[in-house]
Amino acid sequence: MATATKSEANSSLNLKLKPLADRVVCQRDEADEMTSGGIVLPDSAKEKVNQAKVIAVGPGKLDDNGTCHPLSVKPGDHVLLSKYGGDEFEVGEIKYTIVRESDILAVIEE
């Protein structure tokens, strides 16, 4: 699991984005640069990382009666995402993924 650099951490905190409904903005962890055997991986050979840090969450999903059900994740949680779920976007040089709460497979407890 990779750690964010100081500039990435500051940019994540300065993100002025409020997701709607049951959407969650996440920042995926970095892929390993090297295999356990010491082979350096090119970008094309790296797998997409499933683990991510929650940056922002929407207010929750409205049901048919108009009741808002809050999300079960909060900013700062570490989660396991579906490998190809969500939409990716960049702010500066930092990549984010926005997913529905249902695309989050699990919360990783540390």
Side-chain angles (χ1 to χ4, degrees), residues 5-66:
T5 63
K6 193 173 190 178
S7 64
E8 287 175 342
N10 288 340
S11 296
S12 298
L13 296 174
N14 294 332
L15 183 65
K16 301 289 185 206
L17 182 71
K18 183 173 179 166
L20 300 176
D22 65 337
R23 303 288 199 296
V24 180
V25 177
C26 299
Q27 185 177 6
R28 288 187 187 258
D29 292 345
E30 296 279 327
D32 290 333
E33 300 285 327
M34 200 177 290
T35 66
S36 58
I39 299 172
V40 177
L41 295 172
D43 288 338
S44 61
K46 293 179 188 173
E47 282 194 37
K48 199 178 224 183
V49 178
N50 292 23
Q51 295 182 16
K53 180 180 179 185
V54 175
I55 304 300
V57 297
K61 186 168 183 158
L62 291 176
D63 64 12
D64 293 336
N65 298 327

